[in-house]
PDB file of all heavy atoms in Angstrom:
ATOM      1  N   TYR I 213      83.156 138.320  79.534  1.00 80.00           N
ATOM      2  CA  TYR I 213      83.642 137.645  80.742  1.00 80.00           C
ATOM      3  C   TYR I 213      85.115 137.994  80.928  1.00 80.00           C
ATOM      4  O   TYR I 213      85.907 137.815  80.011  1.00 80.00           O
ATOM      5  CB  TYR I 213      83.448 136.129  80.601  1.00 80.00           C
ATOM      6  CG  TYR I 213      83.353 135.413  81.927  1.00 80.00           C
ATOM      7  CD1 TYR I 213      82.154 135.306  82.589  1.00 80.00           C
ATOM      8  CD2 TYR I 213      84.477 134.856  82.505  1.00 80.00           C
ATOM      9  CE1 TYR I 213      82.063 134.657  83.799  1.00 80.00           C
ATOM     10  CE2 TYR I 213      84.390 134.194  83.725  1.00 80.00           C
ATOM     11  CZ  TYR I 213      83.176 134.105  84.361  1.00 80.00           C
ATOM     12  OH  TYR I 213      83.090 133.460  85.562  1.00 80.00           O
ATOM     13  N   PRO I 214      85.504 138.465  82.087  1.00 81.00           N
ATOM     14  CA  PRO I 214      86.864 138.986  82.255  1.00 81.00           C
ATOM     15  C   PRO I 214      87.975 137.935  82.334  1.00 81.00           C
ATOM     16  O   PRO I 214      89.143 138.282  82.277  1.00 81.00           O
ATOM     17  CB  PRO I 214      86.783 139.753  83.566  1.00 81.00           C
ATOM     18  CG  PRO I 214      85.695 139.073  84.334  1.00 81.00           C
ATOM     19  CD  PRO I 214      84.701 138.610  83.292  1.00 81.00           C
ATOM     20  N   PHE I 215      87.624 136.672  82.464  1.00 83.00           N
ATOM     21  CA  PHE I 215      88.661 135.665  82.672  1.00 83.00           C
ATOM     22  C   PHE I 215      88.309 134.389  81.927  1.00 83.00           C
ATOM     23  O   PHE I 215      87.188 133.901  82.038  1.00 83.00           O
ATOM     24  CB  PHE I 215      88.792 135.363  84.176  1.00 83.00           C
ATOM     25  CG  PHE I 215      89.985 134.536  84.532  1.00 83.00           C
ATOM     26  CD1 PHE I 215      91.249 135.099  84.572  1.00 83.00           C
ATOM     27  CD2 PHE I 215      89.844 133.194  84.824  1.00 83.00           C
ATOM     28  CE1 PHE I 215      92.354 134.340  84.895  1.00 83.00           C
ATOM     29  CE2 PHE I 215      90.947 132.424  85.149  1.00 83.00           C
ATOM     30  CZ  PHE I 215      92.213 133.004  85.188  1.00 83.00           C
ATOM     31  N   ASN I 216      89.260 133.848  81.190  1.00 86.00           N
ATOM     32  CA  ASN I 216      89.069 132.609  80.452  1.00 86.00           C
ATOM     33  C   ASN I 216      89.546 131.451  81.328  1.00 86.00           C
ATOM     34  O   ASN I 216      90.668 131.511  81.847  1.00 86.00           O
ATOM     35  CB  ASN I 216      89.883 132.673  79.157  1.00 86.00           C
ATOM     36  CG  ASN I 216      89.690 131.458  78.285  1.00 86.00           C
ATOM     37  OD1 ASN I 216      89.444 130.356  78.745  1.00 86.00           O
ATOM     38  ND2 ASN I 216      89.817 131.673  76.990  1.00 86.00           N
ATOM     39  N   PRO I 217      88.748 130.403  81.515  1.00 90.00           N
ATOM     40  CA  PRO I 217      89.186 129.274  82.339  1.00 90.00           C
ATOM     41  C   PRO I 217      90.519 128.666  81.883  1.00 90.00           C
ATOM     42  O   PRO I 217      91.284 128.148  82.696  1.00 90.00           O
ATOM     43  CB  PRO I 217      88.053 128.259  82.205  1.00 90.00           C
ATOM     44  CG  PRO I 217      86.860 129.085  81.890  1.00 90.00           C
ATOM     45  CD  PRO I 217      87.373 130.226  81.056  1.00 90.00           C
ATOM     46  N   GLY I 218      90.815 128.756  80.604  1.00 89.00           N
ATOM     47  CA  GLY I 218      92.090 128.250  80.117  1.00 89.00           C
ATOM     48  C   GLY I 218      93.272 128.967  80.740  1.00 89.00           C
ATOM     49  O   GLY I 218      94.344 128.376  80.934  1.00 89.00           O
ATOM     50  N   ASP I 219      93.074 130.247  81.103  1.00 92.00           N
ATOM     51  CA  ASP I 219      94.145 130.997  81.756  1.00 92.00           C
ATOM     52  C   ASP I 219      94.451 130.436  83.153  1.00 92.00           C
ATOM     53  O   ASP I 219      95.516 130.702  83.704  1.00 92.00           O
ATOM     54  CB  ASP I 219      93.777 132.475  81.872  1.00 92.00           C
ATOM     55  CG  ASP I 219      93.648 133.143  80.514  1.00 92.00           C
ATOM     56  OD1 ASP I 219      94.215 132.620  79.527  1.00 92.00           O
ATOM     57  OD2 ASP I 219      92.971 134.185  80.438  1.00 92.00           O
ATOM     58  N   PHE I 220      93.526 129.702  83.702  1.00 94.00           N
ATOM     59  CA  PHE I 220      93.728 129.037  84.999  1.00 94.00           C
ATOM     60  C   PHE I 220      94.259 127.621  84.807  1.00 94.00           C
ATOM     61  O   PHE I 220      95.251 127.224  85.417  1.00 94.00           O
ATOM     62  CB  PHE I 220      92.398 129.006  85.769  1.00 94.00           C
ATOM     63  CG  PHE I 220      92.444 128.230  87.050  1.00 94.00           C
ATOM     64  CD1 PHE I 220      93.012 128.772  88.186  1.00 94.00           C
ATOM     65  CD2 PHE I 220      91.901 126.947  87.125  1.00 94.00           C
ATOM     66  CE1 PHE I 220      93.050 128.058  89.378  1.00 94.00           C
ATOM     67  CE2 PHE I 220      91.932 126.234  88.306  1.00 94.00           C
ATOM     68  CZ  PHE I 220      92.517 126.796  89.436  1.00 94.00           C
ATOM     69  N   PHE I 221      93.611 126.850  83.924  1.00 95.00           N
ATOM     70  CA  PHE I 221      93.940 125.434  83.789  1.00 95.00           C
ATOM     71  C   PHE I 221      95.206 125.168  82.977  1.00 95.00           C
ATOM     72  O   PHE I 221      95.922 124.209  83.261  1.00 95.00           O
ATOM     73  CB  PHE I 221      92.751 124.666  83.186  1.00 95.00           C
ATOM     74  CG  PHE I 221      91.601 124.530  84.137  1.00 95.00           C
ATOM     75  CD1 PHE I 221      90.428 125.245  83.945  1.00 95.00           C
ATOM     76  CD2 PHE I 221      91.686 123.696  85.242  1.00 95.00           C
ATOM     77  CE1 PHE I 221      89.365 125.118  84.834  1.00 95.00           C
ATOM     78  CE2 PHE I 221      90.631 123.570  86.133  1.00 95.00           C
ATOM     79  CZ  PHE I 221      89.470 124.286  85.927  1.00 95.00           C
ATOM     80  N   GLN I 222      95.501 125.973  81.967  1.00 95.00           N
ATOM     81  CA  GLN I 222      96.672 125.686  81.138  1.00 95.00           C
ATOM     82  C   GLN I 222      98.001 125.800  81.890  1.00 95.00           C
ATOM     83  O   GLN I 222      98.847 124.911  81.750  1.00 95.00           O
ATOM     84  CB  GLN I 222      96.653 126.541  79.872  1.00 95.00           C
ATOM     85  CG  GLN I 222      95.586 126.063  78.907  1.00 95.00           C
ATOM     86  CD  GLN I 222      95.440 126.946  77.692  1.00 95.00           C
ATOM     87  OE1 GLN I 222      96.020 128.013  77.597  1.00 95.00           O
ATOM     88  NE2 GLN I 222      94.639 126.486  76.740  1.00 95.00           N
ATOM     89  N   PRO I 223      98.229 126.820  82.711  1.00 96.00           N
ATOM     90  CA  PRO I 223      99.488 126.825  83.480  1.00 96.00           C
ATOM     91  C   PRO I 223      99.583 125.649  84.454  1.00 96.00           C
ATOM     92  O   PRO I 223     100.670 125.104  84.668  1.00 96.00           O
ATOM     93  CB  PRO I 223      99.454 128.155  84.231  1.00 96.00           C
ATOM     94  CG  PRO I 223      98.518 129.012  83.457  1.00 96.00           C
ATOM     95  CD  PRO I 223      97.503 128.082  82.851  1.00 96.00           C
ATOM     96  N   LEU I 224      98.457 125.247  85.017  1.00 97.00           N
ATOM     97  CA  LEU I 224      98.472 124.076  85.899  1.00 97.00           C
ATOM     98  C   LEU I 224      98.796 122.823  85.111  1.00 97.00           C
ATOM     99  O   LEU I 224      99.485 121.924  85.608  1.00 97.00           O
ATOM    100  CB  LEU I 224      97.128 123.924  86.615  1.00 97.00           C
ATOM    101  CG  LEU I 224      96.848 124.965  87.692  1.00 97.00           C
ATOM    102  CD1 LEU I 224      95.418 124.844  88.186  1.00 97.00           C
ATOM    103  CD2 LEU I 224      97.822 124.851  88.842  1.00 97.00           C
ATOM    104  N   GLY I 225      98.320 122.750  83.871  1.00 96.00           N
ATOM    105  CA  GLY I 225      98.649 121.623  83.002  1.00 96.00           C
ATOM    106  C   GLY I 225     100.140 121.571  82.710  1.00 96.00           C
ATOM    107  O   GLY I 225     100.751 120.494  82.718  1.00 96.00           O
ATOM    108  N   ALA I 226     100.729 122.727  82.456  1.00 97.00           N
ATOM    109  CA  ALA I 226     102.178 122.771  82.206  1.00 97.00           C
ATOM    110  C   ALA I 226     102.945 122.336  83.446  1.00 97.00           C
ATOM    111  O   ALA I 226     103.918 121.570  83.360  1.00 97.00           O
ATOM    112  CB  ALA I 226     102.591 124.182  81.783  1.00 97.00           C
ATOM    113  N   LEU I 227     102.501 122.779  84.600  1.00 98.00           N
ATOM    114  CA  LEU I 227     103.141 122.386  85.859  1.00 98.00           C
ATOM    115  C   LEU I 227     102.978 120.886  86.107  1.00 98.00           C
ATOM    116  O   LEU I 227     103.927 120.209  86.529  1.00 98.00           O
ATOM    117  CB  LEU I 227     102.535 123.199  87.003  1.00 98.00           C
ATOM    118  CG  LEU I 227     103.303 123.268  88.315  1.00 98.00           C
ATOM    119  CD1 LEU I 227     104.711 123.812  88.093  1.00 98.00           C
ATOM    120  CD2 LEU I 227     102.547 124.144  89.300  1.00 98.00           C
ATOM    121  N   ALA I 228     101.801 120.360  85.821  1.00 98.00           N
ATOM    122  CA  ALA I 228     101.561 118.916  85.967  1.00 98.00           C
ATOM    123  C   ALA I 228     102.453 118.123  85.025  1.00 98.00           C
ATOM    124  O   ALA I 228     102.979 117.068  85.395  1.00 98.00           O
ATOM    125  CB  ALA I 228     100.090 118.581  85.721  1.00 98.00           C
ATOM    126  N   LEU I 229     102.641 118.628  83.817  1.00 98.00           N
ATOM    127  CA  LEU I 229     103.516 117.943  82.869  1.00 98.00           C
ATOM    128  C   LEU I 229     104.952 117.895  83.379  1.00 98.00           C
ATOM    129  O   LEU I 229     105.607 116.851  83.309  1.00 98.00           O
ATOM    130  CB  LEU I 229     103.452 118.616  81.496  1.00 98.00           C
ATOM    131  CG  LEU I 229     104.296 117.971  80.399  1.00 98.00           C
ATOM    132  CD1 LEU I 229     103.852 116.530  80.152  1.00 98.00           C
ATOM    133  CD2 LEU I 229     104.193 118.787  79.115  1.00 98.00           C
ATOM    134  N   VAL I 230     105.430 119.002  83.923  1.00 98.00           N
ATOM    135  CA  VAL I 230     106.773 119.028  84.522  1.00 98.00           C
ATOM    136  C   VAL I 230     106.849 118.013  85.661  1.00 98.00           C
ATOM    137  O   VAL I 230     107.814 117.244  85.762  1.00 98.00           O
ATOM    138  CB  VAL I 230     107.125 120.448  85.027  1.00 98.00           C
ATOM    139  CG1 VAL I 230     108.367 120.439  85.906  1.00 98.00           C
ATOM    140  CG2 VAL I 230     107.315 121.396  83.852  1.00 98.00           C
ATOM    141  N   GLY I 231     105.830 117.997  86.512  1.00 98.00           N
ATOM    142  CA  GLY I 231     105.811 117.040  87.623  1.00 98.00           C
ATOM    143  C   GLY I 231     105.777 115.602  87.153  1.00 98.00           C
ATOM    144  O   GLY I 231     106.474 114.742  87.695  1.00 98.00           O
ATOM    145  N   CYS I 232     104.985 115.327  86.132  1.00 98.00           N
ATOM    146  CA  CYS I 232     104.875 113.958  85.606  1.00 98.00           C
ATOM    147  C   CYS I 232     106.191 113.489  84.993  1.00 98.00           C
ATOM    148  O   CYS I 232     106.674 112.390  85.299  1.00 98.00           O
ATOM    149  CB  CYS I 232     103.771 113.880  84.555  1.00 98.00           C
ATOM    150  SG  CYS I 232     102.098 113.935  85.195  1.00 98.00           S
ATOM    151  N   ILE I 233     106.762 114.305  84.127  1.00 98.00           N
ATOM    152  CA  ILE I 233     108.001 113.909  83.467  1.00 98.00           C
ATOM    153  C   ILE I 233     109.140 113.814  84.465  1.00 98.00           C
ATOM    154  O   ILE I 233     109.925 112.854  84.446  1.00 98.00           O
ATOM    155  CB  ILE I 233     108.332 114.870  82.305  1.00 98.00           C
ATOM    156  CG1 ILE I 233     107.305 114.680  81.193  1.00 98.00           C
ATOM    157  CG2 ILE I 233     109.745 114.646  81.773  1.00 98.00           C
ATOM    158  CD1 ILE I 233     107.409 115.674  80.057  1.00 98.00           C
ATOM    159  N   GLY I 234     109.242 114.784  85.367  1.00 98.00           N
ATOM    160  CA  GLY I 234     110.280 114.730  86.397  1.00 98.00           C
ATOM    161  C   GLY I 234     110.144 113.500  87.278  1.00 98.00           C
ATOM    162  O   GLY I 234     111.151 112.850  87.623  1.00 98.00           O
ATOM    163  N   SER I 235     108.917 113.165  87.643  1.00 97.00           N
ATOM    164  CA  SER I 235     108.679 111.972  88.468  1.00 97.00           C
ATOM    165  C   SER I 235     109.091 110.702  87.729  1.00 97.00           C
ATOM    166  O   SER I 235     109.702 109.802  88.322  1.00 97.00           O
ATOM    167  CB  SER I 235     107.200 111.873  88.853  1.00 97.00           C
ATOM    168  OG  SER I 235     106.801 112.962  89.623  1.00 97.00           O
ATOM    169  N   LEU I 236     108.754 110.625  86.457  1.00 97.00           N
ATOM    170  CA  LEU I 236     109.121 109.446  85.667  1.00 97.00           C
ATOM    171  C   LEU I 236     110.644 109.307  85.554  1.00 97.00           C
ATOM    172  O   LEU I 236     111.189 108.211  85.692  1.00 97.00           O
ATOM    173  CB  LEU I 236     108.490 109.512  84.279  1.00 97.00           C
ATOM    174  CG  LEU I 236     107.011 109.201  84.213  1.00 97.00           C
ATOM    175  CD1 LEU I 236     106.457 109.528  82.830  1.00 97.00           C
ATOM    176  CD2 LEU I 236     106.746 107.752  84.574  1.00 97.00           C
ATOM    177  N   ILE I 237     111.315 110.409  85.317  1.00 96.00           N
ATOM    178  CA  ILE I 237     112.772 110.361  85.188  1.00 96.00           C
ATOM    179  C   ILE I 237     113.417 109.965  86.514  1.00 96.00           C
ATOM    180  O   ILE I 237     114.272 109.068  86.559  1.00 96.00           O
ATOM    181  CB  ILE I 237     113.326 111.716  84.689  1.00 96.00           C
ATOM    182  CG1 ILE I 237     112.898 111.941  83.235  1.00 96.00           C
ATOM    183  CG2 ILE I 237     114.846 111.776  84.831  1.00 96.00           C
ATOM    184  CD1 ILE I 237     113.144 113.350  82.722  1.00 96.00           C
ATOM    185  N   CYS I 238     113.011 110.597  87.597  1.00 95.00           N
ATOM    186  CA  CYS I 238     113.604 110.308  88.909  1.00 95.00           C
ATOM    187  C   CYS I 238     113.237 108.918  89.426  1.00 95.00           C
ATOM    188  O   CYS I 238     113.987 108.317  90.182  1.00 95.00           O
ATOM    189  CB  CYS I 238     113.191 111.362  89.928  1.00 95.00           C
ATOM    190  SG  CYS I 238     113.862 112.985  89.575  1.00 95.00           S
ATOM    191  N   GLY I 239     112.070 108.430  89.030  1.00 95.00           N
ATOM    192  CA  GLY I 239     111.620 107.120  89.502  1.00 95.00           C
ATOM    193  C   GLY I 239     111.888 105.999  88.521  1.00 95.00           C
ATOM    194  O   GLY I 239     111.354 104.897  88.669  1.00 95.00           O
ATOM    195  N   TRP I 240     112.729 106.257  87.532  1.00 93.00           N
ATOM    196  CA  TRP I 240     112.952 105.284  86.464  1.00 93.00           C
ATOM    197  C   TRP I 240     113.487 103.960  86.986  1.00 93.00           C
ATOM    198  O   TRP I 240     113.165 102.902  86.457  1.00 93.00           O
ATOM    199  CB  TRP I 240     113.900 105.874  85.424  1.00 93.00           C
ATOM    200  CG  TRP I 240     113.911 105.083  84.160  1.00 93.00           C
ATOM    201  CD1 TRP I 240     114.890 104.244  83.730  1.00 93.00           C
ATOM    202  CD2 TRP I 240     112.869 105.020  83.194  1.00 93.00           C
ATOM    203  NE1 TRP I 240     114.534 103.681  82.538  1.00 93.00           N
ATOM    204  CE2 TRP I 240     113.282 104.147  82.180  1.00 93.00           C
ATOM    205  CE3 TRP I 240     111.620 105.626  83.074  1.00 93.00           C
ATOM    206  CZ2 TRP I 240     112.509 103.857  81.066  1.00 93.00           C
ATOM    207  CZ3 TRP I 240     110.851 105.345  81.977  1.00 93.00           C
ATOM    208  CH2 TRP I 240     111.294 104.467  80.991  1.00 93.00           C
ATOM    209  N   ARG I 241     114.313 103.977  88.016  1.00 91.00           N
ATOM    210  CA  ARG I 241     114.940 102.743  88.516  1.00 91.00           C
ATOM    211  C   ARG I 241     114.222 102.164  89.733  1.00 91.00           C
ATOM    212  O   ARG I 241     114.794 101.352  90.443  1.00 91.00           O
ATOM    213  CB  ARG I 241     116.401 103.017  88.854  1.00 91.00           C
ATOM    214  CG  ARG I 241     117.215 103.312  87.620  1.00 91.00           C
ATOM    215  CD  ARG I 241     118.681 103.332  87.920  1.00 91.00           C
ATOM    216  NE  ARG I 241     119.422 103.526  86.696  1.00 91.00           N
ATOM    217  CZ  ARG I 241     120.460 104.313  86.581  1.00 91.00           C
ATOM    218  NH1 ARG I 241     120.894 104.987  87.632  1.00 91.00           N
ATOM    219  NH2 ARG I 241     121.081 104.431  85.430  1.00 91.00           N
ATOM    220  N   THR I 242     113.005 102.570  89.947  1.00 92.00           N
ATOM    221  CA  THR I 242     112.226 102.016  91.056  1.00 92.00           C
ATOM    222  C   THR I 242     111.566 100.723  90.597  1.00 92.00           C
ATOM    223  O   THR I 242     111.493 100.442  89.395  1.00 92.00           O
ATOM    224  CB  THR I 242     111.158 103.024  91.531  1.00 92.00           C
ATOM    225  OG1 THR I 242     110.340 103.391  90.430  1.00 92.00           O
ATOM    226  CG2 THR I 242     111.804 104.258  92.146  1.00 92.00           C
ATOM    227  N   PRO I 243     111.056  99.920  91.540  1.00 92.00           N
ATOM    228  CA  PRO I 243     110.366  98.677  91.157  1.00 92.00           C
ATOM    229  C   PRO I 243     109.165  98.939  90.245  1.00 92.00           C
ATOM    230  O   PRO I 243     108.554 100.005  90.292  1.00 92.00           O
ATOM    231  CB  PRO I 243     109.908  98.099  92.499  1.00 92.00           C
ATOM    232  CG  PRO I 243     110.808  98.714  93.519  1.00 92.00           C
ATOM    233  CD  PRO I 243     111.168 100.069  92.994  1.00 92.00           C
ATOM    234  N   ALA I 244     108.847  97.939  89.441  1.00 92.00           N
ATOM    235  CA  ALA I 244     107.778  98.068  88.433  1.00 92.00           C
ATOM    236  C   ALA I 244     106.440  98.469  89.062  1.00 92.00           C
ATOM    237  O   ALA I 244     105.716  99.290  88.505  1.00 92.00           O
ATOM    238  CB  ALA I 244     107.626  96.767  87.655  1.00 92.00           C
ATOM    239  N   GLY I 245     106.110  97.892  90.211  1.00 93.00           N
ATOM    240  CA  GLY I 245     104.840  98.226  90.860  1.00 93.00           C
ATOM    241  C   GLY I 245     104.758  99.689  91.248  1.00 93.00           C
ATOM    242  O   GLY I 245     103.697 100.307  91.170  1.00 93.00           O
ATOM    243  N   TYR I 246     105.881 100.251  91.649  1.00 95.00           N
ATOM    244  CA  TYR I 246     105.911 101.666  92.008  1.00 95.00           C
ATOM    245  C   TYR I 246     105.863 102.535  90.757  1.00 95.00           C
ATOM    246  O   TYR I 246     105.218 103.575  90.742  1.00 95.00           O
ATOM    247  CB  TYR I 246     107.173 101.983  92.819  1.00 95.00           C
ATOM    248  CG  TYR I 246     107.222 103.405  93.310  1.00 95.00           C
ATOM    249  CD1 TYR I 246     106.474 103.798  94.414  1.00 95.00           C
ATOM    250  CD2 TYR I 246     107.991 104.365  92.666  1.00 95.00           C
ATOM    251  CE1 TYR I 246     106.508 105.099  94.868  1.00 95.00           C
ATOM    252  CE2 TYR I 246     108.027 105.668  93.105  1.00 95.00           C
ATOM    253  CZ  TYR I 246     107.286 106.036  94.202  1.00 95.00           C
ATOM    254  OH  TYR I 246     107.310 107.334  94.640  1.00 95.00           O
ATOM    255  N   LYS I 247     106.535 102.087  89.718  1.00 95.00           N
ATOM    256  CA  LYS I 247     106.561 102.856  88.467  1.00 95.00           C
ATOM    257  C   LYS I 247     105.159 103.054  87.895  1.00 95.00           C
ATOM    258  O   LYS I 247     104.878 104.077  87.276  1.00 95.00           O
ATOM    259  CB  LYS I 247     107.445 102.158  87.432  1.00 95.00           C
ATOM    260  CG  LYS I 247     108.720 102.889  87.154  1.00 95.00           C
ATOM    261  CD  LYS I 247     109.449 102.240  86.024  1.00 95.00           C
ATOM    262  CE  LYS I 247     110.542 101.418  86.662  1.00 95.00           C
ATOM    263  NZ  LYS I 247     111.484 100.859  85.734  1.00 95.00           N
ATOM    264  N   VAL I 248     104.282 102.080  88.110  1.00 97.00           N
ATOM    265  CA  VAL I 248     102.897 102.216  87.633  1.00 97.00           C
ATOM    266  C   VAL I 248     102.259 103.459  88.252  1.00 97.00           C
ATOM    267  O   VAL I 248     101.539 104.198  87.576  1.00 97.00           O
ATOM    268  CB  VAL I 248     102.075 100.947  87.969  1.00 97.00           C
ATOM    269  CG1 VAL I 248     100.592 101.171  87.748  1.00 97.00           C
ATOM    270  CG2 VAL I 248     102.569  99.776  87.153  1.00 97.00           C
ATOM    271  N   LEU I 249     102.556 103.702  89.528  1.00 97.00           N
ATOM    272  CA  LEU I 249     102.010 104.883  90.200  1.00 97.00           C
ATOM    273  C   LEU I 249     102.501 106.176  89.544  1.00 97.00           C
ATOM    274  O   LEU I 249     101.821 107.204  89.603  1.00 97.00           O
ATOM    275  CB  LEU I 249     102.393 104.890  91.679  1.00 97.00           C
ATOM    276  CG  LEU I 249     101.828 103.764  92.543  1.00 97.00           C
ATOM    277  CD1 LEU I 249     102.412 103.824  93.945  1.00 97.00           C
ATOM    278  CD2 LEU I 249     100.313 103.837  92.583  1.00 97.00           C
ATOM    279  N   LEU I 250     103.674 106.131  88.948  1.00 97.00           N
ATOM    280  CA  LEU I 250     104.230 107.311  88.289  1.00 97.00           C
ATOM    281  C   LEU I 250     103.708 107.465  86.861  1.00 97.00           C
ATOM    282  O   LEU I 250     103.600 108.584  86.354  1.00 97.00           O
ATOM    283  CB  LEU I 250     105.760 107.240  88.273  1.00 97.00           C
ATOM    284  CG  LEU I 250     106.431 107.108  89.646  1.00 97.00           C
ATOM    285  CD1 LEU I 250     107.931 106.959  89.480  1.00 97.00           C
ATOM    286  CD2 LEU I 250     106.084 108.276  90.545  1.00 97.00           C
ATOM    287  N   TRP I 251     103.402 106.332  86.216  1.00 98.00           N
ATOM    288  CA  TRP I 251     102.919 106.372  84.831  1.00 98.00           C
ATOM    289  C   TRP I 251     101.457 106.790  84.733  1.00 98.00           C
ATOM    290  O   TRP I 251     101.055 107.410  83.746  1.00 98.00           O
ATOM    291  CB  TRP I 251     103.116 105.018  84.149  1.00 98.00           C
ATOM    292  CG  TRP I 251     104.482 104.866  83.572  1.00 98.00           C
ATOM    293  CD1 TRP I 251     105.512 104.149  84.090  1.00 98.00           C
ATOM    294  CD2 TRP I 251     104.980 105.450  82.372  1.00 98.00           C
ATOM    295  NE1 TRP I 251     106.619 104.252  83.288  1.00 98.00           N
ATOM    296  CE2 TRP I 251     106.319 105.044  82.221  1.00 98.00           C
ATOM    297  CE3 TRP I 251     104.434 106.288  81.403  1.00 98.00           C
ATOM    298  CZ2 TRP I 251     107.104 105.453  81.149  1.00 98.00           C
ATOM    299  CZ3 TRP I 251     105.217 106.694  80.335  1.00 98.00           C
ATOM    300  CH2 TRP I 251     106.533 106.271  80.218  1.00 98.00           C
TER     301      TRP I 251
END
């Protein structure tokens, strides 16, 4: 098989991790109810 699904999903996972951590840091001082959406 010429392509491993991990070659597709793993970079997206890394990008999602950057988005998640960045969102948590930038939204740290938001109200608790909003922070749940980030967590």
Side-chain angles (χ1 to χ4, degrees):
Y213 204 86
F215 191 77
N216 183 330
D219 295 339
F220 174 78
F221 289 108
Q222 288 175 352
L224 289 172
L227 198 57
L229 182 61
V230 168
C232 286
I233 292 173
S235 298
L236 284 170
I237 291 168
C238 293
W240 194 254
R241 293 190 176 138
T242 56
Y246 184 78
K247 250 187 259 188
V248 168
L249 295 174
L250 303 176
W251 275 103

